[in-house]
Amino acid sequence: MSGGTVATGRRGSVVPAAERGATRIADRVVAKIASQAAREAVGVLPPDAAPPHATVVVRPHAHPGGGGTAPSRAAYVRVHLDLDYPCDIGARCHAVRRHVAERVRAGVSMEVPEVTVQVERLHLTGTAGTARGRTR
């Protein structure tokens, strides 16, 4: 069929695309995808580090340019994570932001205008021969 219509099973009965409705994806599903993506981006953490978790708010999102299309839904993601230290914190947070946005876009076809990364704790990774005490 063409023209954006789908047959409903009855003869001659066709429902236009605009009247069929839309699929709604629960915020918690998007949060699970974001958490998994953050775990993938962070990599191996110290054993005492908490696994990354995410909170998500899904809101209507108007398309830039204000075209005639209906607004889509956008996921605003906040990821909470622990990191090992010393490391390049900025680079790791950037990698998490980028990976989470890509995975949410690919997984649920939502725009991700914002991914906020909140580092909860830094875990000092000790190396053999490192003196205990203050680290600068």
Side-chain angles (χ1 to χ4, degrees), residues 34-36 38-54 79-85 92 96 117-124:
S35 294
Q36 178 63 36
R39 277 192 286 281
E40 293 167 0
V42 167
V44 179
L45 288 175
D48 58 337
H53 66 279
V79 177
H80 305 265
L81 52 87
D82 291 1
L83 292 176
D84 53 341
Y85 186 80
R92 302 253 328 252
V96 169
V117 176
Q118 183 170 337
V119 178
E120 298 286 332
R121 267 180 228 95
L122 295 173
H123 294 268
L124 185 61

Side-chain angles (χ1 to χ4, degrees), residues 1-8 12-22:
M1 301 204 134
S2 63
T5 58
V6 172
T8 61
S13 183
V14 177
V15 178
E19 296 176 16
R20 282 194 301 247

Side-chain angles (χ1 to χ4, degrees), residues 106-126:
V108 295
S109 299
M110 283 185 186
E111 286 301 313
V112 186
E114 181 178 312
V115 177
T116 304
V117 176
Q118 183 170 337
V119 178
E120 298 286 332
R121 267 180 228 95
L122 295 173
H123 294 268
L124 185 61
T125 54

Side-chain angles (χ1 to χ4, degrees), residues 55-116:
T55 56
V56 175
V57 175
V58 177
R59 293 184 261 187
H61 179 68
H63 294 287
T69 61
S72 62
R73 294 175 54 81
Y76 294 83
V77 180
R78 177 177 294 273
V79 177
H80 305 265
L81 52 87
D82 291 1
L83 292 176
D84 53 341
Y85 186 80
C87 71
D88 185 348
I89 297 169
R92 302 253 328 252
C93 290
H94 176 72
V96 169
R97 271 193 228 74
R98 184 179 43 78
H99 193 66
V100 167
E102 287 173 1
R103 288 287 308 278
V104 170
R105 266 188 223 110
V108 295
S109 299
M110 283 185 186
E111 286 301 313
V112 186
E114 181 178 312
V115 177
T116 304

